[in-house]
Amino acid sequence: MTQLGQNCLHAQQTKHTSVIVIMADQLRADVLGKGFTPNIDALQKDAVTFNRAYCAAPLCAPSRASFFTGLYPNRTGSMINPWEKDDEVYGNTKAGIANLYGLMDAEWDSYHVGKQHFFTEEKMDKNPSTKTKWITQETYSKWMKEQGKPKPGGKMYKDVAPELVSSTHTQLRSYSTPATGLYKEGINYFLDHYLANEAIKAIQNRDTKKPLLLNAMFLAPHPPFSIPEPYYSKYGLKDFDLPENVGEWYPGQSPLQMYNLTGFIGSRYNREQWGQIWAKYLGLVKLLDDEVGRVIVALKQAGIYEQSTILFTADHGEMLGSHSLWQKMCMYEESARVPFLLKLPQSVQPAIKVSNEPISLVDFLPTVLDLNAIKHPGRMDGISLLPLIEGKTINRKAIFLQFDGNGSLGSSQRAVVMGNYKLTVDMFKDEFYVELYDLSKDFQEKENLAFNQSFSQKTNELLLVLKEHMKLSGDRVVLPAELMKKFLKNYKYGIQKSDKVQ
């Protein structure tokens, strides 16, 4: 535990408090605060906002593994969604690694309600001895079968895309597209409404002799965009401003994204089509906000809101047409940056309301452990955010992100965020593509500075930091010694505008 955490913030409270995690799935951080999320925005007023929070991996399973363990994917062993049997070992967190549930569920009344993509070798959620109550998407599927109702989605919301398997060969796999449609069964049978109902039951039926640990894992606004009324028709094109980079494929962005689901499907749609899709996405965001609002009301009615630690976040973002890309699985801000709103117990008075320091989802576990005076289980990649909350500085040079394939071990990406700069290395088999952006001046990442000789020193500096991290974390990938020389020789001035895919 940090000395500051022991002597400052923890001194303001004397006992364990309830911990509530509300996690959305595939939520763009830039849609908050614009009228679509009044309940989440109300929570933000009571919270410390971290404007530059990043996932550790822009994919469900590895992101959640890092969130719950405080470790980067190279250390957890969870690097992909384990859909391909030959590669499923890379989707599970290694046995013996401590996590939020195991560290807290002995003293907290622990519930997991919602999407369960924290896969572990021990099959933690299936263990009869677990102290956590698990209510998951499987529970919902059984309930829907009993009700005789079809779940949202279906074949019309999917299409095939090529996917590299075991980093050696390609197969076709079915994934969600941006197709939109009305879910006719209504909100009462929609997954996120069911999950909010179950989260409320957990709050009402909790063991009042213990603090509550509630992990409410919503699916919205993850596709399929099979959405009930009134949310399906809630918004039109006049209700929002479409970001400038939607429907644009910039000259300096990686062409290797075309080997990935992101570009293979995303590049099919133009800006006008994306605008129609955005309207439906924002309706799903409003649905999410309403369900989060119901959970917040239940916490207040139970009398535990004020003294709870509450985090609202997402596992990753959503491109939704930015850079002409779809879903996540890339390092652009829309995919990699997440909301991170941390409401502290009333007894803890933060010195700040907003932080612009780059942080990672791996930082939550050490922070919540320090807040509750729980000894750290060992070395973690994440650090406690208590110094930042106290208005102090933190001693961290950079944060890191990685991607190793979607449903199998495939194309890879590595990224480092250091100060205002982000550097990404995109890889497909033996090809490499480098991108560098100054986020303080180019937050939509339109100009790849890796081609600008004036930034060659900065590019090499970040590459060195990234390589060192990859080495220390036992990365399976090794970047070549003369990466930039080969990259600039191959691409010269980038992918020209005349070559863009539209």
Side-chain angles (χ1 to χ4, degrees):
M1 180 186 298
T2 64
Q3 192 67 28
L4 181 67
Q6 288 178 317
N7 294 341
C8 295
L9 289 182
H10 176 62
Q12 300 175 26
Q13 61 183 63
T14 58
K15 64 179 182 178
H16 293 162
T17 61
S18 293
V19 175
I20 315 298
V21 175
I22 303 174
M23 181 178 283
D25 195 333
Q26 218 147 306
L27 176 67
R28 286 177 64 122
D30 60 1
V31 302
L32 302 186
K34 296 180 179 178
F36 310 111
T37 54
N39 294 299
I40 298 170
D41 297 344
L43 174 64
Q44 183 174 8
K45 292 179 181 179
D46 295 335
V48 178
T49 300
F50 293 86
N51 284 326
R52 298 188 65 197
Y54 292 88
C55 59
L59 189 69
C60 298
S63 177
R64 292 161 191 262
S66 290
F67 176 80
F68 285 117
T69 64
L71 298 171
Y72 284 125
N74 281 337
R75 300 193 202 278
T76 67
S78 176
M79 295 183 284
I80 63 171
N81 289 332
W83 312 149
E84 173 61 43
K85 184 134 183 96
D86 289 346
D87 294 338
E88 65 179 348
V89 64
Y90 296 102
N92 294 322
T93 297
K94 297 173 185 175
I97 293 179
N99 62 72
L100 177 69
Y101 296 100
L103 290 167
M104 296 181 68
D105 67 5
E107 297 186 49
W108 274 257
D109 190 19
S110 177
Y111 291 82
H112 174 109
V113 178
K115 183 171 180 175
Q116 163 42 10
H117 272 192
F118 176 34
F119 302 113
T120 61
E121 287 184 349
E122 300 106 325
K123 310 297 182 190
M124 176 181 61
D125 54 320
K126 307 295 184 183
N127 190 332
S129 65
T130 180
K131 295 182 176 68
T132 296
K133 277 76 76 178
W134 297 87
I135 300 144
T136 69
Q137 62 269 40
E138 293 180 4
T139 316
Y140 166 74
S141 294
K142 292 178 182 177
W143 179 78
M144 287 292 281
K145 188 174 182 179
E146 293 171 357
Q147 305 304 308
K149 298 290 184 179
K151 294 187 294 184
K155 291 183 178 179
M156 70 166 283
Y157 299 94
K158 292 188 175 185
D159 202 350
V160 294
E163 185 165 85
L164 198 60
V165 177
S166 303
S167 299
T168 59
H169 61 280
T170 301
Q171 69 175 14
L172 289 179
R173 187 178 290 277
S174 178
Y175 284 114
S176 295
T177 71
T180 64
L182 174 66
Y183 178 59
K184 297 180 181 180
E185 301 301 329
I187 186 64
N188 289 333
Y189 297 98
F190 199 75
L191 173 60
D192 294 275
H193 188 76
Y194 173 88
L195 296 178
N197 287 343
E198 293 299 318
I200 292 168
K201 289 178 186 177
I203 295 166
Q204 295 172 339
N205 299 328
R206 74 191 190 283
D207 182 351
T208 56
K209 296 178 181 179
K210 294 182 176 182
L212 174 66
L213 173 60
L214 171 61
N215 286 286
M217 308 278 109
F218 288 99
L219 180 65
H222 190 291
F225 296 155
S226 173
I227 307 170
E229 293 289 14
Y231 304 100
Y232 181 74
S233 304
K234 184 75 174 176
Y235 301 115
L237 296 176
K238 295 181 180 180
D239 295 314
F240 58 93
D241 295 321
L242 202 60
E244 290 181 9
N245 65 1
V246 170
E248 292 290 335
W249 189 290
Y250 291 95
Q253 80 179 69
S254 173
L256 304 185
Q257 286 294 330
M258 290 301 292
Y259 293 123
N260 197 1
L261 167 66
T262 50
F264 183 80
I265 291 180
S267 62
R268 302 175 187 177
Y269 299 83
N270 60 33
R271 183 173 174 84
E272 181 180 355
Q273 292 169 317
W274 279 118
Q276 299 294 334
I277 296 164
W278 264 75
K280 304 309 179 187
Y281 178 84
L282 291 173
L284 195 49
V285 169
K286 182 62 171 69
L287 184 156
L288 167 71
D289 182 76
D290 283 351
E291 301 305 339
V292 170
R294 294 175 60 219
V295 174
I296 296 297
V297 167
L299 290 169
K300 291 180 177 179
Q301 290 176 341
I304 59 175
Y305 175 85
E306 298 293 346
Q307 275 306 110
S308 293
T309 298
I310 303 176
L311 173 69
F312 177 81
T313 189
D315 57 351
H316 48 71
E318 162 64 71
M319 293 307 294
L320 209 65
S322 291
H323 289 262
S324 289
L325 301 177
W326 163 238
Q327 289 214 34
K328 53 272 188 182
M329 296 171 273
C330 61
M331 302 304 178
Y332 297 114
E333 290 289 282
E334 297 85 0
S335 166
R337 192 164 66 89
V338 295
F340 197 101
L341 315 178
L342 184 63
K343 191 205 81 68
L344 299 162
Q346 192 176 46
S347 57
V348 177
Q349 295 300 312
I352 62 169
K353 285 295 290 180
V354 177
S355 172
N356 291 314
E357 181 75 19
I359 69 164
S360 171
L361 288 184
V362 298
D363 297 330
F364 177 69
L365 182 59
T367 302
V368 79
L369 294 181
D370 278 6
L371 277 170
N372 288 279
I374 300 174
K375 184 179 179 181
H376 290 198
R379 177 184 174 182
M380 286 188 283
D381 293 313
I383 63 172
S384 175
L385 298 176
L386 297 194
L388 282 178
I389 294 168
E390 274 291 299
K392 309 296 183 181
T393 58
I394 57 174
N395 183 25
R396 177 164 57 186
K397 191 172 187 178
I399 62 169
F400 303 92
L401 302 89
Q402 70 182 80
F403 175 74
D404 291 88
N406 185 1
S408 56
L409 202 63
S411 57
S412 301
Q413 296 165 58
R414 298 292 183 269
V416 53
V417 177
M418 191 166 75
N420 290 326
Y421 290 91
K422 182 204 292 179
L423 179 137
T424 299
V425 181
D426 193 3
M427 295 162 270
F428 182 80
K429 294 190 175 182
D430 58 352
E431 294 185 68
F432 295 83
Y433 195 93
V434 180
E435 295 179 68
L436 175 70
Y437 297 100
D438 181 349
L439 300 175
S440 67
K441 299 177 181 178
D442 182 21
F443 69 95
Q444 290 196 0
E445 298 163 294
K446 298 177 180 179
E447 182 183 0
N448 182 1
L449 299 175
F451 291 107
N452 188 328
Q453 289 186 353
S454 300
F455 290 89
S456 59
Q457 184 176 347
K458 178 61 68 175
T459 301
N460 289 327
E461 178 189 2
L462 267 68
L463 265 177
L464 188 63
V465 172
L466 180 59
K467 285 182 177 180
E468 183 66 12
H469 165 74
M470 292 171 66
K471 180 180 178 181
L472 292 175
S473 62
D475 204 310
R476 68 184 184 90
V477 174
V478 178
L479 300 181
E482 296 186 328
L483 172 60
M484 283 306 297
K485 182 179 180 180
K486 295 176 182 178
F487 166 66
L488 292 173
K489 178 183 177 182
N490 288 341
Y491 291 101
K492 297 181 177 66
Y493 301 103
I495 306 301
Q496 300 304 301
K497 290 184 178 180
S498 60
D499 295 330
K500 71 178 183 178
V501 181
Q502 284 297 355

